[in-house]
Amino acid sequence: MEFLQTSSEFPFSAAVIHSGRILQAVLTGIPAGSDRPVRGGVIAELHEIFRQLDEILSLAKAKRTAVVSVELYLQHVLRDIEAVNVAYREYFGTHPPNRRAFGVDLQSGMMIEAAFVAELS
């Protein structure tokens, strides 16, 4: 198992590669070096998550089209899902991966957390 991104602030790896073919990443709107999400609400946090995902995909030499599955965890799913859908469409374009969205209680003042699975070539 290869650890692509580890965190000094939290006791887990944000992204790992299994058997050289499967990338799994769990990301939040908390940028490196911080213990709080970016300001601006759920969409600002989602943009930070996508920025981190782009960085991880680049390290793995993969494109967004490699992402096959996404799980979104939203503090206010019913309130925020419509805006999240717009940002999601903009990010993934014509190749949207499978996705599930859940309403959950998040920690650290977060509005959204996302889990990604990508297949590497």
Side-chain angles (χ1 to χ4, degrees):
M1 188 171 348
E2 178 182 352
F3 299 94
L4 282 184
Q5 188 179 62
T6 59
S7 170
S8 59
E9 294 85 25
F10 303 104
F12 53 81
S13 294
V16 296
I17 296 176
H18 300 276
S19 304
R21 294 204 47 216
I22 302 296
L23 168 80
Q24 287 188 297
V26 178
L27 305 173
T28 68
I30 301 173
S34 181
D35 63 354
R36 301 233 178 258
V38 294
R39 291 182 164 194
V42 68
I43 298 306
E45 289 183 38
L46 184 56
H47 286 300
E48 172 61 19
I49 287 168
F50 286 152
R51 185 198 66 72
Q52 292 174 34
L53 180 61
D54 283 340
E55 187 177 288
I56 289 166
L57 290 171
S58 177
L59 287 171
K61 296 178 178 49
K63 297 181 181 184
R64 292 177 184 176
T65 54
V67 177
V68 296
S69 181
V70 179
E71 290 183 353
L72 300 177
Y73 304 96
L74 295 142
Q75 183 70 33
H76 302 287
V77 68
L78 296 177
R79 183 191 75 188
D80 293 337
I81 194 65
E82 200 170 317
V84 165
N85 283 340
V86 171
Y88 188 89
R89 273 190 208 98
E90 288 172 359
Y91 181 80
F92 285 108
T94 59
H95 186 78
N98 175 280
R99 190 196 82 193
R100 287 159 300 289
F102 305 94
V104 298
D105 287 329
L106 294 170
Q107 58 189 349
S108 302
M110 295 184 301
M111 302 302 290
I112 189 168
E113 181 174 299
F116 301 92
V117 176
E119 182 178 19
L120 304 177
S121 48

